Amino acid sequence: MDWRLIKEEMLPGAKAMAYDEVAAETVASGGPATVRLYRWLPSTLSLGYATDPDAIDWEFCEEWNIDVTRRPTGGGAIYHDTAGDVAYSIIAPAEAYPSDVTECYREFLEPIIDAFHEVGVDVTFADEEREALYDPACYLRALDPAHDLVGPDGRKIAGNAQYRTRDAVVQHGSLTFDVNAERHLECFADPPVTAEEFEERVCGIEEFIGYDDTVETGLGAFGGYDLHRSQFVAAVEESLAEWADAEEGEWTDAERERAATVTNEKYAADAWVRDRTDPLE
């Protein structure tokens, strides 16, 4: 099986989701499987497939230029900060991987966990129940040992989700580099949770890696911060490429054209984002 790695690219939320769908079409038609990273620009709130739109503060998101799209996967809504979130996807032929969802998660998450370890953060699968604080927010739902990853102190550090078509399996995930609890909660209409309570449940890599930004970069705090984010991105890319034996690649012209159509007609369309009606079906 041929695999390609598409290195981190900056994408608006709707297009980020459209490329997953296009990559699934590609592998279903006999093309290469894909591992990819992407950075949400602008910052994006992605709703889970069943997220109630009434839970979202639409005016706040518009005022602060936060994209809103809807994932085809389950779970709650997630605020993907441009700097604080690292996103990945794995798109593969369904027949090549376990049909059991938990087994498939475990296989696909091997390189992700290895990447965390590579930058010195001990990440494992959640192994204990924690009750939900607020179901509309993905990071505040009950922990699921099948696909939720936790940091060294047991707080959630990554959420992952899967969906399958007849011929392809798609897994994508949100890996937290840095937590912006206030902004995350402000995207919701009336969350009964404080920023302090959010931070008691969620952590990011930045909390566990110490560095002297002046010594390392000479660029001040942001320079050191961005260096470490870049190092983590490189670790994820290298780990995924090694796991899949993938060659660095890019989208074809046909895929780019298809992604533009899927973006405009589905993932950026109110019918899908607000009403969960797929205009392409």
Side-chain angles (χ1 to χ4, degrees):
M1 177 180 9
D2 292 330
W3 284 84
R4 63 181 170 181
L5 165 69
I6 297 181
K7 300 185 79 171
E8 187 182 55
E9 52 189 343
M10 291 191 175
L11 296 169
K15 184 165 282 189
M17 292 296 92
Y19 270 123
D20 275 356
E21 187 162 324
V22 170
E25 294 173 352
T26 294
V27 78
S29 65
T34 301
V35 287
R36 57 183 291 248
L37 272 76
Y38 43 100
R39 188 170 187 171
W40 310 83
L41 185 71
S43 298
T44 299
L45 183 72
S46 73
L47 313 186
Y49 177 73
T51 300
D52 185 346
D54 289 342
I56 307 308
D57 189 333
W58 296 92
E59 290 184 3
F60 177 85
C61 292
E62 182 176 0
E63 178 182 357
W64 288 92
N65 192 35
I66 297 169
D67 272 4
V68 183
T69 190
R70 185 181 292 273
R71 306 186 308 274
T73 50
I78 306 174
Y79 169 70
H80 305 280
D81 186 77
T82 296
D85 185 285
V86 175
Y88 79 92
S89 297
I90 299 172
I91 303 97
E95 63 181 12
Y97 292 92
S99 58
D100 180 85
V101 175
T102 298
E103 288 182 25
C104 192
Y105 271 124
R106 296 282 164 149
E107 191 163 342
F108 282 3
L109 283 169
E110 286 177 9
I112 301 302
I113 293 173
D114 287 345
F116 277 108
H117 292 170
E118 180 65 25
V119 297
V121 182
D122 184 18
V123 167
T124 59
F125 286 97
D127 63 359
E128 62 180 25
E129 294 293 332
R130 298 189 73 177
E131 65 178 2
L133 293 180
Y134 179 57
D135 274 340
C138 186
Y139 275 81
L140 299 178
R141 295 165 72 97
L143 288 176
D144 188 332
H147 54 75
D148 285 334
L149 301 180
V150 297
D153 57 7
R155 289 179 293 159
K156 185 171 178 176
I157 200 169
N160 308 277
Q162 269 186 31
Y163 72 93
R164 286 179 179 253
T165 65
R166 184 178 66 179
D167 299 308
V169 55
V170 177
Q171 177 170 307
H172 51 207
S174 174
L175 315 178
T176 306
F177 180 76
D178 194 13
V179 178
N180 189 337
E182 289 186 2
R183 181 53 49 87
H184 202 126
L185 292 172
E186 285 168 337
C187 293
F188 295 90
D190 189 25
V193 179
T194 66
E196 290 75 18
E197 290 170 324
F198 187 95
E199 291 175 350
E200 288 174 0
R201 299 294 294 266
V202 183
C203 65
I205 292 171
E206 188 268 342
E207 295 181 47
F208 304 105
I209 51 175
Y211 61 88
D212 184 326
D213 53 86
T214 302
V215 171
E216 292 199 24
T217 71
L219 298 175
F222 185 76
Y225 177 101
D226 200 55
L227 172 67
H228 276 259
R229 186 190 183 282
S230 297
Q231 289 174 337
F232 178 59
V233 167
V236 178
E237 290 173 342
E238 291 169 9
S239 188
L240 284 170
E242 181 178 352
W243 173 80
D245 192 21
E247 298 289 336
E248 186 176 342
E250 59 184 18
W251 303 112
T252 66
D253 289 342
E255 286 175 318
R256 293 181 192 279
E257 291 176 10
R258 175 62 175 160
T261 298
V262 175
T263 297
N264 294 332
E265 296 186 11
K266 179 176 180 178
Y267 290 101
D270 281 349
W272 173 252
V273 178
R274 291 183 182 254
D275 300 329
R276 205 177 67 189
T277 300
D278 188 346
L280 298 180
E281 288 187 345

